[in-house]
Amino acid sequence: TNGAYPPGNLVESGNKLYGMAQYGSIFNMGNIFSIDTNGKSFKALLDFGDSTLIGNNPYGSLTLSGGTLYGTTSVLNGAGMLFSIDTNGSGAKELYDFSNSIGKYPCSQLLVSGSTIYGMTNEGGIKNRGTIFSIKTNGSGQTTLFEFDSTTGEYPNGALILVGSSIYGMTVKGGENNNGVIFSIDTSGTGFNVLYDFDSINGQYPYGSLTISGNILYGMTEGGGKYSDGTVFGFKDSAITVSINKLKGSLDAITLFPNPNNGKFIIQSYVNNGGPLSVEVFNMLGEKIYSSAVKTSSMQVDLYNASNGIYLYRMLTETGNLVSTGKFIIQK
């Protein structure tokens, strides 16, 4: 009655958790829900199958940017849909309907950077092996950045990671050994590279999402390894090191104070690139908990409801390029 078979990850904001159920709820087509971190106040924000959103059977994970949740469904005209909804359950919008030519069955947790959304489809494209796409947060400007094939990887999955202007991800199959790959691509859609071809020794069929710590990407495979039962791997590449070093060189672009703080702090910007900027804050799980346009050189941020811990912040240009990043501590 309140949903069944929840896929993907939960998104945390303050004392609320947000997620999706793929089936069940009123119309047995899944829902979007919220629940307090203490397990109370469960609420179905939207039941798929009514007239609010045409798509149904959501898949993957929600992504939070500001006060808006973004996600995808696996069903709509046989290809899937991208949607947005406010965290209070209002303002649900159908942003884009997928089709075979541009990619179908969106499968990854969406990456929101500035006013641009990046994601992947599990199938579709010229070779029907999946695509990487970008689209504006208002639903305009859809672009197919890359179409996979048996050489570059097949059936991408998991979340994309943004480092500077480079996006990193994985495919389940394809590549030199047909065991999946780690890849990178520029946010413009140029410079696609297969960084690593998995084999049965170091793991095969990577599944889930990459995570980055320092200059190393970490992940898991479903098969391969010494016992043929999967592996946990770390991958270091010179391109990642270069990107990280570029970020370190720009840390003086903004100042955040006080640090540590109680969740209320000031961000002072010294960047003047002639275009709009935005600031994003992530918890240590990589979940975005705050996003806002930078309207003045000195802005106040209120995250008083956030839990104690270490948080990451970054400043982006309108096109999603990273100009500064850092860490701060909330300590009440």
Side-chain angles (χ1 to χ4, degrees):
T1 56
N2 56 14
Y5 309 119
N9 305 317
L10 293 167
V11 176
E12 181 184 7
S13 179
N15 67 336
K16 289 286 186 182
L17 300 169
Y18 299 91
M20 300 187 292
Q22 193 171 13
Y23 296 96
S25 205
I26 295 176
F27 304 101
N28 198 30
M29 295 182 179
N31 64 20
I32 303 168
F33 64 84
S34 67
I35 187 171
D36 290 349
T37 52
N38 62 7
K40 298 179 180 180
S41 302
F42 178 92
K43 179 182 179 181
L45 300 178
L46 184 139
D47 292 291
F48 287 98
D50 65 12
S51 59
T52 306
L53 288 177
I54 299 175
N56 50 76
N57 303 119
Y59 191 77
S61 303
L62 291 168
T63 298
L64 177 63
S65 179
T68 304
L69 296 163
Y70 297 90
T72 60
T73 69
S74 58
V75 177
L76 178 64
N77 300 325
M81 178 196 71
L82 188 152
F83 65 84
S84 66
I85 184 171
D86 295 339
T87 51
N88 61 8
S90 65
K93 296 178 182 178
E94 181 182 336
L95 297 178
Y96 193 75
D97 300 335
F98 291 90
S99 64
N100 185 68
S101 60
I102 59 174
K104 61 182 181 179
Y105 309 137
C107 58
S108 66
Q109 182 172 2
L110 300 168
L111 167 65
V112 181
S113 179
S115 61
T116 304
I117 301 170
Y118 300 93
M120 299 185 290
T121 64
N122 193 247
E123 296 183 24
I126 295 176
K127 300 294 185 178
N128 199 33
R129 295 297 187 268
T131 67
I132 305 171
F133 65 86
S134 68
I135 188 171
K136 295 298 182 182
T137 50
N138 63 5
S140 65
Q142 189 279 336
T143 302
T144 300
L145 299 178
F146 189 78
E147 301 183 31
F148 290 95
D149 57 35
S150 59
T151 303
T152 57
E154 301 176 319
Y155 314 123
N157 77 99
L160 294 168
I161 291 179
L162 179 66
V163 181
S165 62
S166 296
I167 296 173
Y168 298 88
M170 300 187 296
T171 69
V172 178
K173 291 188 177 182
E176 183 177 343
N177 304 306
N178 197 30
N179 289 327
V181 306
I182 301 173
F183 66 83
S184 68
I185 186 172
D186 193 81
T187 51
S188 64
T190 61
F192 181 92
N193 286 304
V194 174
L195 301 178
Y196 186 75
D197 288 283
F198 285 95
D199 55 39
S200 59
I201 299 174
N202 293 319
Q204 56 187 164
Y205 314 135
Y207 197 80
S209 301
L210 290 167
T211 187
I212 189 168
S213 178
N215 59 353
I216 300 177
L217 295 170
Y218 296 93
M220 298 187 290
T221 67
E222 284 195 324
K226 183 177 180 180
Y227 304 103
S228 300
D229 289 327
T231 65
V232 178
F233 66 84
F235 176 79
K236 184 177 181 180
D237 183 76
S238 58
I240 301 174
T241 303
V242 170
S243 295
I244 293 295
N245 288 337
K246 286 182 179 179
L247 297 185
K248 289 180 179 178
S250 65
L251 287 179
D252 58 352
I254 64 175
T255 300
L256 185 151
F257 62 91
N259 188 11
N261 56 68
N262 64 358
K264 295 182 179 181
F265 51 88
I266 301 293
I267 293 180
Q268 185 80 43
S269 171
Y270 304 99
V271 179
N272 183 13
N273 69 339
L277 298 170
S278 63
V279 167
E280 300 176 341
V281 177
F282 297 81
N283 62 25
M284 292 309 291
L285 295 176
E287 299 165 339
K288 186 186 298 184
I289 65 167
Y290 177 84
S291 178
S292 175
V294 178
K295 299 180 180 179
T296 62
S297 60
S298 181
M299 63 180 291
Q300 184 172 15
V301 178
D302 186 350
L303 296 177
Y304 188 76
N305 290 328
S307 304
N308 288 346
I310 300 174
Y311 293 81
L312 308 176
Y313 67 87
R314 63 184 185 180
M315 181 175 285
L316 305 163
T317 66
E318 186 179 25
T319 57
N321 290 326
L322 185 60
V323 296
S324 187
T325 187
K327 296 180 181 180
F328 66 93
I329 298 173
I330 293 180
Q331 192 174 64
K332 301 174 187 177

